Amino acid sequence: MATDQKQHQHPLVLIAGGGPAGFLLSILLDKIGVASVVIERAAEPDEWSSKSYTLVLGENGKSSLAEAGCLEAAVEAGIERRFIYFFDGSSGDVKAMPKQVPGIGFTRPLLVQVLEQVAVECPRVTLKRGAGVLNVTKKDKFCLEVTLEDGSVVPASHVIGADGKWSNVRESFPELNSQFTMETCPSFGVHMNLSNVP
């Protein structure tokens, strides 16, 4: 019982998924003194691939990075976005709409790289690569057990599923399925780096 109470007083948060959300969460938890373990299935950091995409962080995204203390690193790595460009594929016309507040543009792998570099320097963040979460079970009132794909088991007081749409963390608790709905919204975007506006 004393061990359970001690663990309850000193939480250990396991974060399934070493993407932008997982690393940002680990950094923010470290800032308030909470230890976390980021579990990432990929043995090596992502490279640009057919599954990569670009994103532009606006005011809220930049505010989140500032809160985590990594806005400066993000600004240095990203590309400032002052316009939204519309390209007419039929005519070849390009229209530029100025943004009220400039954003910061990244490829997903670049944003992950920036956040991972900050996270691994945090004293209460541990990164484990090469094994994803297989399932999560309740051990007792204050402890969860997370079984990884490599067969190891990690105890945690809290588990966060930042491991994508088909989260094994979420699937470990089917009783919660009635609390959300899953919607897929297909979209298509084109990213162009231009030295000047045509």
Side-chain angles (χ1 to χ4, degrees):
M1 182 69 169
T3 305
D4 289 345
Q5 289 177 342
K6 183 179 179 185
Q7 185 171 10
H8 182 65
Q9 292 170 352
H10 301 286
L12 174 63
V13 178
L14 185 136
I15 302 166
F23 280 125
L24 184 60
L25 176 59
S26 70
I27 296 164
L28 292 169
L29 287 170
D30 180 77
K31 290 182 111 15
I32 61 169
V34 176
S36 66
V37 178
V38 178
I39 303 295
E40 173 52 45
R41 175 179 282 138
E44 297 295 324
D46 283 346
E47 297 293 328
W48 181 260
S49 72
S50 61
K51 295 192 299 185
S52 298
Y53 53 87
T54 60
L55 51 103
V56 177
L57 298 180
E59 266 186 274
N60 290 340
K62 292 191 301 186
S63 175
S64 296
L65 293 178
E67 181 73 25
C70 44
L71 179 59
E72 188 176 310
V75 167
E76 189 175 306
I79 299 171
E80 186 176 66
R81 299 289 191 209
R82 294 184 168 276
F83 295 90
I84 297 174
Y85 296 96
F86 298 93
F87 176 75
D88 184 328
S90 300
S91 68
D93 291 342
V94 177
K95 295 181 181 175
M97 182 176 76
K99 297 180 83 161
Q100 291 181 344
V101 177
I104 308 170
F106 298 93
T107 63
R108 182 186 185 280
L110 180 59
L111 180 57
V112 170
Q113 178 185 359
V114 168
L115 293 171
E116 183 175 346
Q117 287 172 350
V118 174
V120 297
E121 295 298 321
C122 295
R124 287 171 288 275
V125 175
T126 302
L127 171 60
K128 179 175 173 60
R129 284 192 168 278
V133 171
L134 190 60
N135 64 38
V136 181
T137 55
K138 295 178 188 177
K139 181 179 176 191
D140 57 44
K141 185 176 178 180
F142 300 111
C143 186
L144 300 165
E145 285 189 336
V146 182
T147 303
L148 303 183
E149 293 168 341
D150 65 3
S152 61
V153 176
V154 180
S157 59
H158 301 78
V159 178
I160 307 295
D163 52 342
K165 183 176 180 179
W166 307 114
S167 170
N168 283 341
V169 172
R170 188 171 42 253
E171 289 179 7
S172 294
F173 298 98
E175 65 271 18
L176 302 177
N177 287 345
S178 64
Q179 296 181 17
F180 67 89
T181 58
M182 189 69 74
E183 293 185 31
T184 301
C185 303
S187 64
F188 178 77
V190 176
H191 172 76
M192 298 184 297
N193 282 327
L194 304 172
S195 57
N196 57 30
V197 179

